[in-house]
Amino acid sequence: MSETTEPQATEPQTAEPQTTEPQTIEDIILNHDRRGISALRPHLPEDFCTQAARHALANPGTVIIATGFYILASDAAETDGPPGAIAIGNALSSLGNTVAYATDAPMTSIIGDWLDKQDSPRRMLHYAMTDNEVFNERHTADIVAAHNPTLVIAIERCAPDAEGVYRNMRGEDISPQTGRIDGLFGLGIPSIGIGDGGNEIGMGNLADAIREAEQLPDSPAVTTCDHLIAASTSNWGGYGLVAAMSLEVGRNLLPDIATDTACIRYLVDCGAVSGVSGVRDFLVDEFTLAENAAVLQELHDYVNARLPDSPEDSPPDSPEE
């Protein structure tokens, strides 16, 4: 226990009145940036979430959402990505879209089982981990032919660099552990990419800016998308997209905090880890459940304050750290 001293009396000072711009969705999801992704903010539209939301709503039908990122140090998938993917999928499903999730092992079964637990349709598109180009191209072509997607979305999904190597945030090669889902992008299908590190699908839009950013990869992903969302964690980027869609349709589509927290806990119970440290704990890129819930609550508050006749949300019980 540290010692304390009595505070010293000081003369009162008159502070100059300050005016601050109200936060936007984009501000909220880029707050608490720990890895330098905010360096991309000047290179994106000011309302990049709103633009992406309008793009999603303008392309209704069958939506394929890609997620799942392998963590080499732990030989496991990470907790960032799937909760945001499911939040987006539930929002789009509630608007009448058919949603399928594209991923690889072990997330194919983990996400599928979670959807079963939530009584949601289990539409899983599994990608094998192989560098056989003929197989990968045929598999993607078969998926497109079978599902005729009107929109593809990637959230926290690794993409190759200019040399064709799939790298983690440390620059390590994770190609053998990564299914080639990025093949769904670049086919002319309307697309959205969500990422937090510069090595994900969609970050090819800003590859030059990523190379120049001090904390971001020297070998960024080159796969592009129509609309890019950058966030401090990719889950928050997914929530930001849902928040922006909510304002467009006039209805709060965000996940409730208890369900989102339960999803993260479920992923960890199934073996998922924090993407930054590789630790198997109730963390998302080292953010605690309480910190994650606070950001989601901010988005709820932002949306509800702007919806007509929206009931006040009572603050949720804080999740355990």
Side-chain angles (χ1 to χ4, degrees), residues 181-267:
I181 299 176
D182 52 285
L184 286 167
F185 293 74
L187 299 177
I189 305 168
S191 59
I192 296 170
I194 303 171
D196 61 12
N199 55 351
E200 304 94 351
I201 291 174
M203 288 292 174
N205 290 19
L206 298 178
D208 290 341
I210 293 168
R211 289 189 196 94
E212 294 172 1
E214 184 176 349
Q215 292 180 262
L216 299 181
D218 294 328
S219 298
V222 296
T223 305
T224 61
C225 63
D226 295 334
H227 290 273
L228 177 63
I229 293 175
S232 297
T233 77
S234 291
N235 284 343
W236 298 356
Y239 308 150
L241 175 60
V242 175
M245 287 195 295
S246 299
L247 294 180
E248 292 297 310
V249 302
R251 174 158 59 97
N252 191 335
L253 305 172
L254 284 163
D256 68 80
I257 290 172
T259 301
D260 184 72
T261 299
C263 181
I264 297 170
R265 287 185 173 277
Y266 168 79
L267 293 173

Side-chain angles (χ1 to χ4, degrees), residues 7 15 31 56 64 85 101 114 133 135 140 160-161 166 210 222 244 281 285 313:
N31 282 343
I64 295 177
Y101 298 90
W114 173 260
E133 292 184 13
F135 174 88
T140 293
D161 64 11
Y166 296 74
I210 293 168
V222 296
D281 200 351
D285 287 343
D313 264 12

Side-chain angles (χ1 to χ4, degrees), residues 116-127:
D116 288 344
K117 289 166 65 73
Q118 298 300 306
D119 294 324
S120 298
R122 181 178 182 140
R123 300 187 187 93
M124 301 303 303
L125 307 176
H126 179 70
Y127 270 73

Side-chain angles (χ1 to χ4, degrees), residues 9-318:
T10 57
E11 291 294 324
Q13 296 181 351
T14 303
E16 290 294 326
Q18 295 183 348
T19 58
T20 58
E21 292 292 325
Q23 283 209 111
T24 64
I25 292 173
E26 292 77 12
D27 293 330
I28 293 170
I29 66 173
L30 280 167
N31 282 343
H32 317 295
D33 174 22
R34 295 174 178 174
R35 291 192 288 169
I37 196 68
S38 294
L40 302 185
R41 181 74 183 273
H43 304 279
L44 290 165
E46 288 187 7
D47 60 344
F48 58 82
C49 283
T50 298
Q51 291 193 24
R54 290 172 178 167
H55 191 58
L57 296 171
N59 291 284
T62 297
V63 182
I64 295 177
I65 303 176
T67 193
F69 203 112
Y70 177 77
I71 303 303
L72 186 62
S74 306
D75 190 24
E78 71 165 303
T79 51
D80 195 19
I86 292 166
I88 296 167
N90 287 341
L92 289 170
S93 294
S94 74
L95 298 174
N97 296 276
T98 298
V99 174
Y101 298 90
T103 189
D104 45 22
M107 275 300 163
T108 303
S109 60
I110 293 175
I111 294 175
D113 290 347
W114 173 260
L115 295 174
D116 288 344
K117 289 166 65 73
Q118 298 300 306
D119 294 324
S120 298
R122 181 178 182 140
R123 300 187 187 93
M124 301 303 303
L125 307 176
H126 179 70
Y127 270 73
M129 298 171 188
T130 174
D131 60 0
N132 186 315
E133 292 184 13
V134 173
F135 174 88
N136 288 323
E137 289 176 5
R138 184 185 301 124
H139 185 57
T140 293
D142 289 345
I143 285 176
V144 171
H147 297 274
N148 191 26
T150 56
L151 177 69
V152 289
I153 300 173
I155 173 168
E156 190 65 8
R157 183 68 202 178
C158 194
D161 64 11
E163 297 178 350
V165 179
Y166 296 74
R167 299 184 186 278
N168 63 19
M169 69 178 188
R170 295 177 177 83
E172 298 166 324
D173 185 356
I174 57 170
S175 301
Q177 298 87 8
T178 304
R180 305 311 199 247
I181 299 176
D182 52 285
L184 286 167
F185 293 74
L187 299 177
I189 305 168
S191 59
I192 296 170
I194 303 171
D196 61 12
N199 55 351
E200 304 94 351
I201 291 174
M203 288 292 174
N205 290 19
L206 298 178
D208 290 341
I210 293 168
R211 289 189 196 94
E212 294 172 1
E214 184 176 349
Q215 292 180 262
L216 299 181
D218 294 328
S219 298
V222 296
T223 305
T224 61
C225 63
D226 295 334
H227 290 273
L228 177 63
I229 293 175
S232 297
T233 77
S234 291
N235 284 343
W236 298 356
Y239 308 150
L241 175 60
V242 175
M245 287 195 295
S246 299
L247 294 180
E248 292 297 310
V249 302
R251 174 158 59 97
N252 191 335
L253 305 172
L254 284 163
D256 68 80
I257 290 172
T259 301
D260 184 72
T261 299
C263 181
I264 297 170
R265 287 185 173 277
Y266 168 79
L267 293 173
V268 176
D269 289 342
C270 290
V273 298
S274 175
V276 173
S277 66
V279 171
R280 186 179 171 190
D281 200 351
F282 299 117
L283 302 167
V284 177
D285 287 343
E286 301 308 289
F287 290 100
T288 66
L289 294 177
E291 289 170 325
N292 184 76
V295 171
L296 184 52
Q297 183 64 54
E298 279 189 82
L299 290 169
H300 271 287
D301 294 343
Y302 184 93
V303 169
N304 288 333
R306 287 158 178 80
L307 292 179
D309 304 320
S310 177
E312 289 290 331
D313 264 12
S314 57
D317 294 334
S318 297

